[in-house]
Amino acid sequence: MIDVLLNVALVLLSVSTLGFVYRVIKGPTTPDRVIALDAIGINLIGITAITCIVLRTQAFLEVILLLGILAFIGTVAFSKFIEKGVIIEDERKS
Amino acid sequence: MRTNDLILQTITKIVIFIILAFSLHLFFAGHYTPGGGFIGGLMTAAALVLLLLAFDAKTVKKIFPVDFKKVTAVGLLIAVFTGIGSFIFGVPFLTHTYDYFDIPILGETGLATAVLFDIGVYLVVIGVTMTIIQTIGEDE
């Protein structure tokens, strides 16, 4: 019973990830693509968690936190590049 | 155009400690669960990169007045000396051992010399990553 539910959830997450992939390819502006990539990262977290339950293991739980941190840092770096043009400033202006 | 990074900087001040704690957890859990020196070092470098993103290179240099090339060298030295240390006991190079000790707070804990080697890996990964990022990040 729980396995069927987990597989359904995996399929739904895959469909939503495909939707985000469509937005990454099609997205008219760069911020659209960045947000879609961030959301793909969050979906990957969900897929990893459900795979953990399917495989009945705790070995991948670190991956979840890792993906969250990396998605956050990547999105911040992209946003800073879009806003200011440089990712690492030498000295703050403000 | 003046921008205000107040939200990003405040979030960074909180999140950086969570990332550093997670990297230490990954480092010390590496013996029995997934993790180890490599990914722990990468996570520590990620925390420093977040600091670089939210603030600037000058501020980070002020907070961490460390030459990361020297961190790499120290890590390599530690790794080599754990290998050489095995010669003292007349066993082959890089032979590792472990034993159980009574530590005041933690109780009976197994301490392995592989942790010392892992500290070397950890420092090398931090040093190399931060050197690459700081070298590329310096514009001009």
Side-chain angles (χ1 to χ4, degrees):
Chain A
M1 184 58 200
I2 185 96
D3 279 318
V4 177
L5 282 177
L6 290 172
N7 283 333
V8 168
L10 272 180
V11 168
L12 287 175
L13 275 175
S14 314
V15 169
S16 84
T17 308
L18 278 179
F20 288 130
V21 169
Y22 173 77
R23 188 42 64 195
V24 169
I25 296 169
K26 183 85 181 188
T29 62
T30 314
D32 285 331
R33 294 197 170 95
V34 172
I35 290 177
L37 278 175
D38 191 39
I40 285 177
I42 305 300
N43 265 0
L44 265 178
I45 294 176
I47 291 173
T48 314
I50 293 177
T51 313
C52 249
I53 307 174
V54 170
L55 296 176
R56 305 250 186 322
T57 173
Q58 296 182 355
F60 304 132
L61 292 184
E62 273 95 355
V63 177
I64 294 171
L65 203 46
L66 205 73
L67 276 175
I69 291 169
L70 289 184
F72 174 66
I73 291 177
T75 310
V76 167
F78 264 125
S79 321
K80 203 163 173 199
F81 179 70
I82 291 171
E83 192 188 341
K84 295 189 179 170
V86 289
I87 295 179
I88 296 172
E89 292 165 291
D90 232 27
E91 204 170 346
R92 260 175 302 164
K93 305 282 188 301
S94 52
Chain B
M1 185 179 72
R2 287 188 57 178
T3 51
N4 194 348
D5 289 340
L6 180 66
I7 295 176
L8 175 62
Q9 288 172 357
T10 312
I11 289 288
T12 299
K13 282 173 200 161
I14 300 167
V15 163
I16 197 165
F17 289 106
I18 301 174
I19 301 180
L20 284 174
F22 180 56
S23 79
L24 281 181
H25 165 75
L26 277 176
F27 175 71
F28 284 113
H31 205 67
Y32 295 109
T33 56
F38 183 76
I39 191 68
L42 273 185
M43 273 292 105
T44 307
L48 294 179
V49 166
L50 186 60
L51 213 57
L52 274 174
L53 287 175
F55 298 94
D56 52 316
K58 213 171 180 182
T59 312
V60 174
K61 202 159 275 175
K62 207 189 214 169
I63 303 170
F64 285 101
V66 184
D67 186 0
F68 285 102
K69 291 190 280 295
K70 282 175 189 154
V71 172
T72 314
V74 168
L76 281 173
L77 269 182
I78 290 174
V80 168
F81 275 120
T82 51
I84 291 176
S86 61
F87 287 143
I88 298 171
F89 303 97
V91 286
F93 187 58
L94 278 177
T95 305
H96 286 292
T97 181
Y98 68 96
D99 204 357
Y100 293 95
F101 295 96
D102 264 329
I103 295 175
I105 298 168
L106 298 172
E108 195 176 356
T109 316
L111 293 180
T113 54
V115 175
L116 293 174
F117 186 79
D118 233 19
I119 287 176
V121 176
Y122 181 76
L123 290 178
V124 167
V125 170
I126 293 177
V128 169
T129 316
M130 291 312 292
T131 307
I132 291 173
I133 289 172
Q134 281 185 339
T135 313
I136 295 175
E138 278 172 6
D139 46 10
E140 198 119 21

